[in-house]
């Protein structure tokens, strides 16, 4: 089937099998490998991307369902050569260890602070509860997202 | 051994970023931009894709395999069976424990999920279609799902492939002194017993295992991109299994999405993909699904343990007896040193000074997946630590003593180090009392006990659990420690370039621990070169010196020591070059802050960067050019990190659910290279300990079907359930390690499960509950409460 999808601001047209998963389309067809695969069953969340701005687990979305829609992956967080505050904050607060869940965590975090720039710890923990991490115990991921919220607010104020 | 809170670090400036600085991680820049390079991210020209056909049965004879329908699918290139591999003598492979394991089953399958055939196709989806189309004719056999069944006199023999094998026993092992232990028990006033099953677990790193095997049909060179925690050891295993000349094998282990022991063994999929690439002449990629990862790759734990502690009425521990059955699965594929059948279980005497101990273990084959990996622990140490800490807590109840005071009465004292344990280990250093008192102070132990008494009066179930663990890591001294004969040293190669920048090459391999940062910090400490000027290379066997890999918290104790020493060796050469540059005697130079200066004339100095340039441009006569070296470090002993964890829980008596109110963790891992990274390691370990105590385990039905084969049933805590942690530290350096570090990656997984479970038992012990097996699921708590009321 022929689809057209806007990914990180660029339009891509492709002929895909109906059964092609969005995550495979992103990784294999578009070669954007920052989106990972961890469980195949919508449980771990490492394949999370933003579909029209909303986090979805791309292992449970068919590529054809993304036809005519807009996707942001981790590769699209950086704008005009500048890292997104969430990226800066994850490094600053040691919010990653192996880095496998990180792109998804950052995308979910970026959506959260867009809606709620000053989230409480509980709000962050609830927001990322669809995403597993085996390394960090989530402690520094929470701190990273909170810091990013502050940075984004400070950035937009200045 | 003194305990200090700062241990005089950091010495270097923040710009240099040596030991003690929480510098930001070098590896993060690529990972936060989605530019990590994991195995599945790699695409090679002409690459084919492989899917394995796995057995739905736990034990069954294979009558035949019909691959014709699969071969007829457009895009399927080949179907590989065990019979085909047998023609190349590859149907079986050695395990890291000296057993053999089927690569693709030929005679029968021995566990659900065992590899039976492989389909190679031009596209991963087509490879799966092909695997679905392979028809295997099985005759089911009786199934053994636990070691007790395996030892029954009429149990079916699982390993019919082993000549003359007439039972299912893998090994029998013992440690300690049986006679001395009997004597100690004869003197005891009481004996406290804990019988428990440490359940089967799985490391489940978020990245599953995989390989791209690229064997050149022209040169015969094999480049294997593999999820490997031990690339050098794996290269040697491949040379032995496949008969490939070792110089023609290059293993590249790129970024790893976690490991936790799961990426130590050699799996059948690696071997089949390599054989397929060799035969077909094209690169072959195999990436596990999560289901495959959970049902077939390295599990951990699964120990049925009985521990007995002999104590006096005054509260002194006299002796310890342990008897265990270990469920090994269908092949003995533990990844642990050859001589240690039960790993480092000898650490079961823990932090306590007791006269005698005796441990016996029997390993048994069952119809479950093989593995027995050290899941975020150093070879069976989590089981040992759990058992002694559970016993000590229960002994305190038996004697009506406070569990903290009971521990205090029995701790090995600081002046007893180096301490030879009753099982023959020599602990390097420790100060257990100080760590425990610090944790008690942080959590407000005395106040909590008062609150607990009040809560009990109100009918609420509140508990406080302690674990004062001693870990054992850093395998190990070559006289005792080897894996399939390979001594467990490790290595570091350091080259300082003319401009004063450096490259450090390691035999170990990070899976997220931050080696690219912390190992640069060790060099920064020793040479004064800023850590940001040092590139760390690892995970490529063509470009790093030989090493046994990263597991058992051995990177810092072994490769960290090698790094410090190679840097010191370069500093010695740098001193001679500096003497030449300053026209002074080398003996008259002193080293400080990355510079050699003439004693008494601080203005007369040269920096390490000046010296590096001179090493290529202005050498003393007769000296070899360059500033580089390699060091292989054979540790004189293991290291013994320790600490005390205290957990406060409240249990809902109606549902059996329990919630952690407080979790305090005081760790002593010796000198901390990067405190930020150390804390991160502890956070992760405390979470995995919580997972095992609360929800995470592998379980099977009576037919050997794995009931926890996906993340919707193999439960991993999310951010929502995970407790909040409060961390503290003491610092007792290792006296034999060049920088005094002990390793920390696994302490929290080793120590914390007992703290959580002790807290639950503490809440219930007044009702007569003395044990609930992990994971302490709500229904188990509820049932224990019903039974105690009955």
């Amino acid at each position: 089937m022929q689809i057209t999808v806007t990914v990180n601001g660029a339009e891509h047209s492709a002929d895909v099998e109906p059964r092609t998963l969005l995550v495979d389309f992103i990784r294999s067809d578009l070669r954007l490998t920052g989106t990972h695969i961890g469980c195949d069953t919508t449980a771990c969340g490492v394949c999370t991307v933003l579909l029209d701005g909303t986090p979805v687990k791309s292992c449970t979305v068919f590529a054809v369902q993304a036809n005519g829609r807009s996707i942001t992956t981790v590769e699209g967080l950086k704008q005009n050569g500048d890292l997104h505050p969430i990226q800066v904050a994850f490094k600053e607060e040691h919010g990653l260890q192996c880095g496998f869940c990180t792109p998804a965590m950052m995308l979910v975090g970026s959506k959260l602070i867009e809606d709620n720039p000053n989230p409480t710890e509980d709000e962050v923990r609830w927001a990322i509860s669809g995403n597993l991490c085996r390394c960090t115990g989530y402690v520094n991921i929470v701190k990273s997202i909170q810091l990013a919220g502050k940075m984004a607010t400070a950035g937009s104020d200045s | 051994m003194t305990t200090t809170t700062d241990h005089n670090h950091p010495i270097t400036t923040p710009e240099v970023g040596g030991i003690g600085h929480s510098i930001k991680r070098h590896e993060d820049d690529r990972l936060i931009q989605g530019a990590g390079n994991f195995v599945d991210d790699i695409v090679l020209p002409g690459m084919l894709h492989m899917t394995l056909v796995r057995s739905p049965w736990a034990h069954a004879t294979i009558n035949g395999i019909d691959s014709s329908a699969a071969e007829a699918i457009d895009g399927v290139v080949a179907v590989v069976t065990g019979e085909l591999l047998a023609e190349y003598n590859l149907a079986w492979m050695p395990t890291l424990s000296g057993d053999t394991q089927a690569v693709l089953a030929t005679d029968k399958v021995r566990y659900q999920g065992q590899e039976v055939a492989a389909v190679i196709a031009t596209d991963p989806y087509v490879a799966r279609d092909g695997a679905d189309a392979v028809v295997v004719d099985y005759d089911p056999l009786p199934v053994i799902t636990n070691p007790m069944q395996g030892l029954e006199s009429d149990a079916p023999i699982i390993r019919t492939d082993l000549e003359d094998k007439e039972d299912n026993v893998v090994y029998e092992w013992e440690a300690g002194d049986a006679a001395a232990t009997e004597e100690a028990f004869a003197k005891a006033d009481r004996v406290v017993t804990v019988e428990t099953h440490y359940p089967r677990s799985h490391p489940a790193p978020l990245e599953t295992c995989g390989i791209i095997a690229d064997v050149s049909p022209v040169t015969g060179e094999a480049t294997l991109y593999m999820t490997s925690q031990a690339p050098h050891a794996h290269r040697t295993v491949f040379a032995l299994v496949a008969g490939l000349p070792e110089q023609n094998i290059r293993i590249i282990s790129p970024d790893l999405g976690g490991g936790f022991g799961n990426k130590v063994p050699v799996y059948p999929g690696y071997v089949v993909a390599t054989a397929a690439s060799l035969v077909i002449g094209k690169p072959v990629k195999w990436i596990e699904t999560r289901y495959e990862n959970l049902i077939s790759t390295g599990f951990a734990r699964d120990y049925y343990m009985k521990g007995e502690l002999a104590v006096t009425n005054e509260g002194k521990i006299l002796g310890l007896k342990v008897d265990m059955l270990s469920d090994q699965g269908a092949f003995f594929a533990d990844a642990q040193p050859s001589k240690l059948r039960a790993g480092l279980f000898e650490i079961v005497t823990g932090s306590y000074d007791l006269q005698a101990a005796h441990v016996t273990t029997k390993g048994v084959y069952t119809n479950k997946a093989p593995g027995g990996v050290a899941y975020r622990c150093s070879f069976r140490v989590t089981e040992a630590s759990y058992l002694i800490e559970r016993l000590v807590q229960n002994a305190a109840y038996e004697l009506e003593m406070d569990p903290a005071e009971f521990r205090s009465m029995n701790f090995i004292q600081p002046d007893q180090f180096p301490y030879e344990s009753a099982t023959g280990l020599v602990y390097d250093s420790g100060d257990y009392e100080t760590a425990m008192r610090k944790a008690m102070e942080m959590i407000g132990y005395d106040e909590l006990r008062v609150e607990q008494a009040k809560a009990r009066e109100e009918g609420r179930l509140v508990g406080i659990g302690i674990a004062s663990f001693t870990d054992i890591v850093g395998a190990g001294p070559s006289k005792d420690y080897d894996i399939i004969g390979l001594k467990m040293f490790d290595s570091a190669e350091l080259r300082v370039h003319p401009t004063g920048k450096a490259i450090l090459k390691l035999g170990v391999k990070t899976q997220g621990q931050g080696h690219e940062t912390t190992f640069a910090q060790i060099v920064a400490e020793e040479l004064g070169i800023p850590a940001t000027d040092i590139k760390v290379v690892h995970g490529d066997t063509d470009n790093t010196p030989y090493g046994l890999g990263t597991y058992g918290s051995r990177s810092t104790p072994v490769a960290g020591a090698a790094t410090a020493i190679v840097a010191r060796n370069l500093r010695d050469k740098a001193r001679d070059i500096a003497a030449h540059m300053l026209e002074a005697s080398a003996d008259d130079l002193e080293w400080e802050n990355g510079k050699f200066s003439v004693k008494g004339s601080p203005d007369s100095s040269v920096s390490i960067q000046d010296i590096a340039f001179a090493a290529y441009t202005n050498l003393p006569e007769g000296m070899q050019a360059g500033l580089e070296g390699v060091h292989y470090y054979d540790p004189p002993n293991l290291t013994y990190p320790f600490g005390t964890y205290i957990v406060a829980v409240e249990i809902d008596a109606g549902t059996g659910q329990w919630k952690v109110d407080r979790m305090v963790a005081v760790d002593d891992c010796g000198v901390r290279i990067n405190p930020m990274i150390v804390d991160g390691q502890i956070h992760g370990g405390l979470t995995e300990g919580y997972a095992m105590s609360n929800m995470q385990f592998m379980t099977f039905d009576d037919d050997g079907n794995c009931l926890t084969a996906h993340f919707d049933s193999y439960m991993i805590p999310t951010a929502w359930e995970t407790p909040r942690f409060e961390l503290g530290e003491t610092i007792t350096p290792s006296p034999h390690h060049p920088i005094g570090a002990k390793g920390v990656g696994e302490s929290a997984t080793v120590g914390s499960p007992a703290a959580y479970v002790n807290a639950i038992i503490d809440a219930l012990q007044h009702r007569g509950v003395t044990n609930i097996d992990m994971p302490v699921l709500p229904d188990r708590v509820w049932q224990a409460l019903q039974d105690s009321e009955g």
Side-chain angles (χ1 to χ4, degrees):
Chain A
M1 292 174 73
Q2 195 68 29
I3 59 168
T4 301
V5 185
T6 302
V7 180
N8 302 327
E11 203 174 274
H12 297 271
S13 293
D15 186 20
V16 298
E17 274 192 81
R19 66 174 174 172
T20 302
L21 299 175
L22 180 58
V23 68
D24 289 324
F25 174 71
I26 291 168
R27 288 178 53 81
S28 302
D29 292 45
L30 304 183
R31 296 291 301 134
L32 294 170
T33 54
T35 305
H36 299 142
I37 300 170
C39 75
D40 328 291
T41 55
T42 331
C44 77
V46 302
C47 63
T48 304
V49 299
L50 302 182
L51 183 61
D52 291 334
T54 300
V56 297
K57 293 175 179 176
S58 63
C59 76
T60 319
V61 177
F62 291 114
V64 293
Q65 291 175 286
N67 186 31
R69 301 173 74 178
S70 173
I71 291 167
T72 305
T73 69
V74 63
E75 290 88 349
L77 280 173
K78 200 171 174 178
Q79 293 289 321
N80 305 319
D82 293 330
L83 292 175
H84 188 287
I86 198 95
Q87 294 173 297
V88 177
F90 264 71
K91 180 174 180 180
E92 184 63 28
E93 292 285 7
H94 187 31
L96 63 150
Q97 290 182 27
C98 79
F100 202 70
C101 75
T102 311
M105 287 286 186
M106 292 192 304
L107 288 165
V108 173
S110 72
K111 169 66 175 164
L112 174 67
I113 59 170
E114 195 182 299
D115 298 342
N116 176 6
N118 195 19
T120 64
E121 175 165 359
D122 274 356
E123 285 170 337
V124 177
R125 283 178 179 265
W126 185 248
I128 62 171
S129 63
N131 293 70
L132 297 178
C133 170
R134 288 293 267 170
C135 298
T136 66
Y138 307 101
V139 179
N140 291 340
I141 293 177
V142 174
K143 286 187 195 165
S144 301
I145 294 172
Q146 288 181 314
L147 174 64
K150 289 195 185 82
M151 289 168 61
T153 311
S156 61
D157 289 348
S158 61
Chain B
M1 186 53 53
T2 55
T3 301
T4 65
T5 49
D6 62 354
H7 197 62
N8 301 322
H9 276 107
I11 295 165
T12 56
T13 61
E15 291 70 34
V16 171
I19 292 172
H21 287 289
S22 290
I23 64 170
K24 305 308 171 196
R25 298 199 326 164
H26 298 168
E27 38 274 86
D28 288 358
D29 291 333
R30 64 176 184 272
L31 296 170
I32 57 173
Q33 297 187 60
N37 186 38
F38 299 91
V39 170
D40 195 23
D41 299 343
I42 298 168
V43 173
L44 300 180
M47 188 173 80
L48 302 172
H49 299 266
M50 182 175 99
T51 294
L52 289 167
V53 177
R54 295 179 180 276
S55 168
W57 299 99
H59 201 190
T61 308
I62 297 175
N63 296 324
I65 300 173
D66 181 358
S67 57
S68 55
E71 282 160 358
I73 293 173
D74 191 26
V76 169
V77 175
V79 178
V80 182
T81 61
E83 255 175 56
L84 182 69
L85 288 181
E87 290 174 22
Y88 296 85
N89 204 23
L90 286 176
W92 292 79
M93 64 178 187
T95 70
L96 295 180
S97 291
D99 195 0
T100 50
Q101 176 173 354
V103 177
L104 292 177
T106 47
D107 52 344
K108 62 176 185 175
V109 290
R110 293 170 172 82
Y111 61 93
Q112 187 187 53
Q114 187 176 341
E115 300 80 359
V116 176
V119 176
I120 323 286
T122 51
D123 174 277
Y125 284 53
V126 175
R128 282 197 204 182
D129 292 342
D132 289 344
V134 172
V135 180
V136 185
D137 179 15
Y138 297 101
D139 267 340
L141 295 165
V143 172
I144 294 169
T145 58
N146 64 56
M148 290 73 78
Q149 284 178 348
L151 293 177
E152 284 168 11
S153 56
D154 59 346
I157 307 303
I158 294 173
R159 295 303 300 278
T160 43
D161 56 297
L162 299 175
E163 216 170 306
D164 302 329
K165 186 73 183 155
E166 288 173 352
D167 60 25
N168 292 311
V169 175
V170 184
Y171 65 82
E172 291 185 69
W173 172 87
E174 69 173 308
D177 185 331
T181 306
E182 288 306 332
E183 248 175 71
F185 272 69
K187 286 187 222 151
D189 294 319
R190 296 158 194 249
V191 173
V192 178
T193 304
V194 168
E195 276 190 80
T196 189
H197 178 218
Y198 203 123
R200 182 171 276 233
S201 198
H202 194 287
L206 286 185
E207 179 203 32
T208 59
C209 300
I211 186 173
I212 302 168
D214 182 15
V215 186
S216 165
V218 178
T219 64
E221 288 179 18
T223 307
L224 310 177
Y225 303 86
M226 242 172 90
T227 47
S228 171
Q229 293 178 228
H232 289 278
H234 285 165
R235 187 186 69 199
T236 302
V237 172
F238 267 89
L240 297 172
V241 175
L244 295 168
E246 198 168 353
Q247 83 279 11
N248 279 357
I249 307 171
R250 177 181 181 188
I251 293 186
I252 297 175
S253 181
D255 284 324
L256 292 183
F260 315 114
N262 187 231
K263 291 167 183 170
V264 174
V266 174
Y267 295 120
Y270 299 155
V271 177
V272 183
T274 305
S277 178
L278 181 71
V279 172
I280 299 168
K282 287 187 174 177
V284 174
K285 179 189 264 191
W286 168 68
I287 303 290
E288 285 176 338
T289 62
R290 174 59 54 191
Y291 169 74
E292 293 181 285
N293 177 254
L294 288 173
I295 63 166
S296 72
T297 64
F299 78 94
R301 328 292 191 235
D302 219 347
Y303 258 30
Y304 292 82
M305 308 190 282
K306 180 183 181 186
E308 296 171 274
L309 203 62
V311 294
T312 67
N313 282 337
E314 292 71 42
K316 185 70 194 155
I317 306 173
L318 299 179
L320 171 68
K321 268 191 232 174
V322 181
D323 185 44
M324 295 180 295
L325 281 178
S326 170
D327 184 333
Q328 295 294 155
F331 304 104
F332 184 37
D334 281 18
Q336 64 193 20
S338 304
K339 290 174 192 159
L340 307 172
R341 305 273 87 175
L344 291 166
F345 196 90
E346 289 105 315
I347 196 69
V348 70
T349 58
S351 307
Y352 308 100
D353 183 19
L354 47 84
Q355 299 160 10
H358 187 236
V359 184
T360 51
T361 310
K362 196 178 274 187
V364 182
Y365 289 119
T366 63
N367 291 118
K368 286 151 77 177
V373 300
Y375 162 27
R376 208 163 180 166
C377 83
S378 193
F379 319 119
R380 301 296 192 185
V381 175
T382 44
E383 294 95 321
S385 177
Y386 181 75
L387 185 62
I388 186 67
E389 287 305 311
R390 293 278 298 104
L391 276 166
V392 165
Q393 189 92 359
N394 278 14
Y397 300 140
E398 175 77 22
L399 296 167
E400 296 182 359
M401 291 178 68
D402 181 276
E405 298 314 317
F406 179 69
R407 284 181 170 82
S408 191
M409 280 187 66
N410 289 286
F411 277 148
I412 301 162
Q413 296 302 308
D415 61 4
Q416 289 178 277
F417 292 92
Y419 173 85
E420 186 171 353
S421 79
T423 53
L425 299 170
V426 180
Y427 293 17
D428 60 347
S429 63
D431 184 349
Y432 304 142
E433 181 78 18
T434 302
M436 185 178 77
R437 293 293 163 193
K438 182 156 189 181
M440 291 169 71
E441 191 181 314
M442 283 174 64
I443 205 163
Y445 185 80
D446 295 340
E447 296 81 355
L448 276 184
R449 286 287 179 207
V450 172
E451 285 172 29
Q452 180 187 34
K454 198 167 151 249
R456 262 188 204 168
E457 282 170 19
E458 296 165 3
R460 288 159 52 217
L461 298 173
V462 171
I464 304 151
I466 304 177
S468 291
F469 68 95
T470 292
D471 195 2
I472 173 171
V473 305
S478 63
K479 66 181 180 357
D480 296 322
Y481 294 88
D482 71 88
I483 287 186
I484 53 165
L486 301 167
K487 303 292 189 185
M488 296 188 75
F489 53 79
D490 232 290
S491 60
E493 181 186 323
L494 179 59
R495 300 179 187 171
V496 183
H497 303 316
T499 55
K501 318 289 181 185
I503 183 165
L504 175 71
K505 302 180 170 204
L506 301 172
V508 292
K509 168 65 199 161
T510 189
Q511 311 124 46
Q513 296 93 334
H515 288 26
E516 291 170 36
T517 310
T518 49
F519 282 77
Q521 289 185 264
I522 297 172
V523 175
E525 179 81 4
E526 300 295 340
L527 287 182
I529 298 172
T532 47
D533 287 351
I534 299 157
K535 175 179 177 178
V536 176
V537 173
H538 55 151
D540 177 353
T541 56
D542 268 10
N543 287 304
T544 54
Y546 205 95
L548 270 278
T550 294
Y551 42 86
S553 289
R554 62 187 300 281
S555 289
T556 296
V558 192
T563 300
I565 290 175
V566 73
R568 288 173 192 179
N569 291 344
L570 296 202
R571 199 167 68 201
D572 288 343
K573 182 173 182 182
R575 178 188 291 271
D576 291 337
I577 299 171
H580 166 70
M581 294 167 76
L582 295 166
E583 297 179 349
S585 158
D587 295 338
D588 288 339
L589 299 183
E590 54 190 7
W591 169 258
E592 201 178 10
N593 299 331
K595 286 178 185 173
F596 278 111
S597 56
V598 180
K599 281 177 198 160
S601 314
D603 293 343
S604 188
S605 70
V606 284
S607 72
I608 188 70
Q609 287 81 4
D610 298 334
I611 297 167
F613 196 67
Y616 298 88
T617 59
N618 173 24
L619 284 163
E621 203 171 318
M623 184 184 279
Q624 254 185 46
L627 193 56
E628 63 179 69
V630 60
H631 187 80
Y632 280 72
Y633 185 77
D634 186 0
N637 190 6
L638 296 140
T639 57
Y640 295 77
F642 62 92
T644 289
Y645 300 154
I646 308 182
V647 172
V649 300
E650 178 152 7
I651 297 171
D652 181 329
T655 64
Q657 285 180 307
W658 54 278
K659 185 173 171 296
V660 174
D661 287 330
R662 300 275 304 279
M663 195 319 165
V664 163
V666 173
D667 271 276
D668 191 322
C669 56
V671 170
R672 295 178 172 215
I673 299 166
N674 183 318
M676 173 189 82
I677 288 178
V678 169
D679 283 354
Q681 290 293 305
I682 294 165
H683 291 150
L686 295 175
T687 305
E688 295 197 43
Y690 172 72
M692 287 183 285
S693 68
N694 188 288
M695 59 181 82
Q696 175 189 302
F697 71 133
M698 301 293 292
T699 189
F700 298 79
D701 69 12
D702 293 343
D703 295 324
N705 294 305
C706 180
L707 303 179
T708 47
H710 294 285
F711 279 163
D712 55 2
S713 47
Y714 187 68
M715 304 301 285
I716 288 171
T718 72
W720 191 248
E721 297 88 33
T722 299
R724 313 318 201 236
F725 308 122
E726 302 161 55
L727 306 190
E729 68 182 59
T730 60
I731 295 178
T732 310
S734 171
H736 64 77
H737 189 279
I739 59 171
K742 287 188 171 184
V744 72
E746 302 168 338
S747 289
T749 328
V750 167
S752 68
Y756 296 112
V757 176
N758 279 341
I760 295 158
I761 300 301
D762 191 66
L764 302 174
Q765 57 98 6
H766 67 293
R767 303 268 291 261
V769 177
T770 56
N771 182 58
I772 302 174
D773 283 354
M774 289 193 292
V776 186
L777 301 166
D779 63 298
R780 293 182 180 184
V781 176
W782 186 85
Q783 192 61 53
L785 277 168
Q786 306 312 304
D787 294 347
S788 74
E789 281 165 351

